[in-house]
């Protein structure tokens, strides 16, 4: 019977969510309510509210005069399966990122003009700068802008290296842009939310850098921009 299948699926959902929240702080007694009020689960909120109502009816008032008062449709079973599958295997932001091997990267001794030409031809606006494998900052159009505002003259760009802009590469030197680090387990929804959050005054989030541990000191795995995440 679909009612029994529905209740079994609902219990399965509670089990996978209990595991998901086993090491997290919860604001609600019900793991289902917790999930549908979290960033990830809000996309399922209306559907899960309906599932909760059906579950409560089936659990507390299953029959009247020996007859079932409600029988879930296949569509309701599909909803529970959809949510369970999402919780078990949520789509990850890294799936939409430009992977490390395809990223345009720079080192301090790279010719700046060569990097800029590659940026133009490949459509990159921000280039991670690595020094001995360590992530030290980002080279962008804004870097050159800040360099000039800093009282520096660009007299022979053909001979300039990325290292000549070193003062303006660190993340805090980008006065109109922000960057964040996320781990490879970050979901698409979490990445979207990061870009959708209110921007800091005069500083917009322009890129998420994915590392193996979610910090600047981790191994760079890829970069994701708002344009990338719009494809999800």
């Amino acid at each position: 019977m679909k009612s029994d299948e529905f209740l079994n699926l609902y219990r399965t959902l509670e089990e996978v969510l209990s595991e998901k929240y086993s090491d997290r702080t919860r604001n609600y007694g019900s793991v289902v309510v917790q999930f549908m009020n979290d960033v990830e689960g809000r996309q399922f909120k209306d559907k899960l509210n309906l599932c909760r109502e059906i579950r409560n009816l089936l659990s507390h008032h299953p029959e009247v005069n020996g007859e079932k008062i409600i029988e879930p449709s296949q569509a309701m079973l599909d909803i529970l399966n959809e949510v369970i599958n999402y919780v078990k295997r949520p789509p990850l932001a890294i799936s939409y990122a430009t992977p490390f091997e395809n990223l345009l990267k720079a080192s301090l001794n790279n010719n700046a003009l060569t990097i800029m030409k590659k940026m133009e031809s490949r459509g990159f606006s921000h280039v991670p700068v690595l020094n001995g494998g360590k992530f030290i900052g980002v080279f962008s159009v804004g870097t050159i802008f800040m360099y000039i505002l800093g009282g520096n003259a660009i007299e022979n760009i053909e001979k300039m290296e990325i290292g000549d802009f070193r003062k303006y590469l660190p993340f805090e030197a980008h006065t109109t842009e922000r960057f964040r680090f996320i781990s490879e387990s970050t979901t698409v929804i979490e990445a979207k939310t990061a870009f959708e959050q209110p921007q800091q005054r005069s500083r917009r989030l322009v890129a998420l850098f994915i590392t193996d541990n979610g910090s600047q000191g981790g191994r760079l795995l890829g970069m994701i921009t708002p344009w990338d995440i719009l494809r999800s």
Side-chain angles (χ1 to χ4, degrees):
M1 297 181 64
K2 282 187 168 58
S3 56
D4 293 332
E5 186 177 355
F6 180 92
L7 289 174
N8 287 334
L9 284 172
Y10 196 94
R11 281 191 286 270
T12 299
L13 175 61
E14 289 178 316
E15 289 170 3
V16 296
L17 286 175
S18 292
E19 182 177 351
K20 176 181 177 67
Y21 291 111
S22 61
D23 58 350
R24 303 189 196 183
T25 300
R26 284 166 45 186
N27 300 317
Y28 302 90
S30 165
V31 287
V32 176
V33 175
Q34 179 69 49
F35 178 67
M36 60 193 239
N37 282 284
D38 279 353
V39 169
E40 283 185 88
R42 286 173 193 161
Q43 59 186 312
F44 303 112
K45 188 167 186 175
D46 291 341
K47 294 178 179 179
L48 286 177
N49 264 327
L50 183 56
C51 288
R52 290 180 65 240
E53 292 179 8
I54 293 173
R55 181 258 186 186
N56 289 337
L57 283 172
L58 291 175
S59 298
H60 303 298
H61 306 285
E63 297 181 352
V64 173
N65 297 328
E67 295 184 7
K68 293 285 185 182
I69 63 170
I70 188 172
E71 184 73 7
S73 66
Q74 183 60 47
M76 298 309 302
L77 301 180
D78 292 342
I79 287 172
L80 286 176
N81 276 311
E82 176 189 6
V83 180
I84 290 168
N85 288 332
Y86 177 90
V87 175
K88 288 182 175 180
R89 292 175 294 277
L92 302 179
I94 196 169
S95 300
Y96 295 87
T98 301
F100 179 82
E101 56 270 21
N102 294 339
L103 272 179
L104 176 58
K105 303 172 284 290
S107 59
L108 294 175
N109 61 358
N110 283 151
N111 180 271
L113 185 59
T114 298
I115 292 297
M116 286 188 279
K117 287 180 178 179
K118 289 181 178 179
M119 291 170 67
E120 194 279 331
S121 64
R122 296 177 58 181
F124 283 96
S125 57
H126 299 83
V127 177
V129 181
L130 307 176
N131 185 27
K134 182 181 179 182
F135 202 154
I136 62 172
V138 176
F139 180 78
S140 69
V141 174
T143 305
I144 301 171
F145 182 73
M146 294 307 301
Y147 179 86
I148 296 173
L149 283 182
N152 304 289
I154 298 181
E155 297 177 349
N156 193 354
I157 186 64
E158 290 84 1
K159 293 185 178 180
M160 292 188 73
E161 297 181 342
I162 295 296
D164 294 323
F165 300 92
R166 186 162 189 164
K167 179 181 176 181
Y168 304 95
L169 299 176
F171 304 110
E172 59 273 14
H174 292 256
T175 58
T176 61
E177 301 171 325
R178 288 189 300 119
F179 308 92
R180 276 185 54 185
F181 288 87
I182 60 175
S183 72
E184 54 190 325
S185 63
T186 301
T187 66
V188 169
I189 293 297
E190 290 171 326
K192 278 185 175 181
T193 301
F195 285 117
E196 291 170 354
Q197 286 177 347
Q199 303 296 310
Q200 293 181 4
R201 184 178 180 182
S202 75
R203 297 186 73 197
R204 59 193 178 91
L205 180 64
V206 296
L208 299 173
F209 290 106
I210 304 173
T211 63
D212 58 352
N213 63 5
S215 73
Q216 181 177 344
R219 179 170 56 89
L220 182 61
L221 301 176
M223 180 178 77
I224 191 163
T225 68
W227 295 109
D228 297 320
I229 212 70
L230 284 175
R231 297 187 286 115
S232 65

